[in-house]
Amino acid sequence: MSIWWAAALVALAAPAEAPTLAAWHGQWVGEGQAFGKPATATLSIAPGEAGTTALAYRLSIEGEPPVRYSADAVYALDAKGRVRGQWTDNYGRTRPVSGGVAGATWWAHWGSADVEIGRSIYALNGDGTLTVSDSVLQDDGGWRLFAMLRYRCTNG
């Protein structure tokens, strides 16, 4: 019985592993819908400076006119799984980001009340794919989905 107690004390005393975004790191290629139209995108998610995670996003929406959107972001994660960062796009907009990570889900709230508030959810699926859904906050407090793409890792 003393071995059981010793094991229990070690488990309780061992520090919990700090949350990380490493599971999302990789080169990802996705397809889906954005603004009601077929879309393709790439995500490059990699370690950044000083323990951060860097993300590069490229979105293409076919149609007239075709849309090409790009953004780069840097995220820092604290010991409680809280995410803080900044997102800058090819239109010259920079938005603060806050969110969190729990298990296979990473979420980010971006923007500000004076412009718009959005939410992106990065969900790792059991089959090794990544589903990213993007929504914007509506005046009634609900979220309107404007993009959902399913990605596969190309370097894995």
Side-chain angles (χ1 to χ4, degrees):
M1 192 139 91
S2 62
I3 293 174
W4 181 86
W5 277 105
L9 288 174
V10 168
L12 289 173
E17 193 170 310
T20 176
L21 296 175
W24 287 267
H25 290 181
Q27 303 299 313
W28 300 87
V29 176
E31 296 180 335
Q33 297 276 318
F35 303 100
K37 297 180 179 180
T40 58
T42 61
L43 280 172
S44 175
I45 306 172
E49 295 180 20
T52 63
T53 292
L55 180 148
Y57 174 62
R58 307 296 179 256
L59 174 71
S60 295
I61 305 170
E62 298 309 319
E64 287 303 321
V67 175
R68 304 291 180 260
Y69 177 80
S70 63
D72 295 290
V74 176
Y75 301 101
L77 190 64
D78 72 13
K80 293 184 178 181
R82 294 177 296 212
V83 175
R84 299 277 185 265
Q86 183 171 293
W87 176 277
T88 302
D89 68 20
N90 61 316
Y91 295 106
R93 296 177 295 211
T94 298
R95 296 183 170 149
V97 176
S98 63
V101 62
T105 303
W106 160 23
W107 65 94
H109 290 157
W110 42 263
S112 59
D114 60 330
V115 180
E116 71 178 349
I117 296 174
R119 174 179 69 189
S120 297
I121 300 173
Y122 303 81
L124 293 168
N125 304 307
D127 63 359
T129 61
L130 168 65
T131 301
V132 180
S133 59
D134 298 302
S135 304
V136 66
L137 185 62
Q138 301 295 286
D139 290 339
D140 66 3
W143 293 94
R144 180 182 52 81
L145 182 71
F146 66 85
M148 181 176 286
L149 287 94
R150 188 173 185 103
Y151 295 82
R152 63 180 172 74
C153 192
T154 62
N155 64 331

